[in-house]
Amino acid sequence: MSNRKPVRLCPLTPADETEFVAFYDEFMQAGGRIHPGVLRKYQGNFPAYLALLEEWADSNRIPPRYVASDTLVLKDDAGRIYGMVSLRHALSDDLLVSGGHIGYGIRPSERGKGYGTRQLALALETYREWQVEKVLVTCDKANLASAKVARNNGGVLEDEIVEKDGNILQRYWITLI
């Protein structure tokens, strides 16, 4: 879209604190499910959150039942955060069903502007660099925007799974190599 600003994926830094808090607060005010899940781990202490993200990127330091993941934000040159993405290094049995390789979300005020498609495209470039052949992306069936983001990036719907709470989850595979 013509009004979309140039953006890049990059790690959070201490200089991002004010903008990150505004980003997080916008999600909280909007309500609904918060994606990616790692965003729900923020507890109001930014330095501790940065340490947590660093810990989760290290496969030797992650909690049991988790996989290592790199968490990046989608930012413009002015430092505005548009989205956040978790790039999981592998799939656990649970992630193979629900969660997939990539968890992503776009700031509520920036949705519908093409940033989700761009963020996923940039994330897929990292998986290409890692020489991953196929990437799994999942989303709630009711989340039409997320399904569109997956399809815009070559996602092919494999199936739908009914979760314990009755939610229908769609599973999209994206072939990279």
Side-chain angles (χ1 to χ4, degrees):
M1 304 195 142
S2 61
N3 65 345
R4 190 177 70 199
K5 294 186 179 185
V7 290
R8 68 190 183 289
L9 284 180
C10 52
L12 280 169
T13 69
D16 294 317
E17 183 171 5
T18 300
E19 176 60 16
F20 175 81
V21 171
F23 172 79
Y24 176 82
D25 287 347
E26 191 172 317
F27 269 93
M28 294 297 102
Q29 292 169 7
R33 291 178 104 173
I34 308 297
H35 294 285
V38 71
L39 186 56
R40 295 187 294 264
K41 299 293 183 186
Y42 178 66
Q43 300 293 312
N45 181 329
F46 192 70
Y49 188 66
L50 291 179
L52 174 77
L53 297 181
E54 185 177 309
E55 179 180 321
W56 282 22
D58 182 347
S59 61
N60 295 315
R61 297 171 54 202
I62 57 172
R65 295 190 44 148
Y66 284 79
V67 300
S69 62
D70 293 341
T71 301
L72 305 170
V73 290
L74 187 71
K75 288 193 333 186
D76 65 19
D77 288 340
R80 180 166 174 81
I81 298 174
Y82 293 82
M84 180 178 250
V85 61
S86 290
L87 308 178
R88 299 178 185 113
H89 299 185
L91 288 179
S92 65
D93 290 342
D94 289 341
L95 289 172
L96 183 58
V97 175
S98 171
H101 284 95
I102 304 173
Y104 56 88
I106 295 295
R107 184 182 205 134
S109 63
E110 298 295 346
R111 293 176 182 161
K113 299 177 183 178
Y115 290 112
T117 296
R118 181 71 180 135
Q119 179 172 255
L120 183 55
L122 292 169
L124 294 173
E125 286 304 315
T126 299
Y127 281 96
R128 283 185 182 94
E129 291 170 11
W130 292 348
Q131 299 183 343
V132 174
E133 292 182 22
K134 287 174 62 173
V135 171
L136 176 64
V137 175
T138 68
C139 65
D140 296 343
K141 184 174 184 172
N143 189 341
L144 301 178
S146 188
K148 183 178 178 183
V149 165
R151 289 191 307 273
N152 285 347
N153 281 282
V156 176
L157 180 65
E158 179 178 65
D159 58 12
E160 296 180 343
I161 296 171
V162 179
E163 296 180 303
K164 292 177 186 174
D165 64 1
N167 181 57
I168 299 173
L169 187 75
Q170 294 184 322
R171 298 172 67 249
Y172 289 88
W173 285 97
I174 301 171
T175 302
L176 301 176
I177 297 175

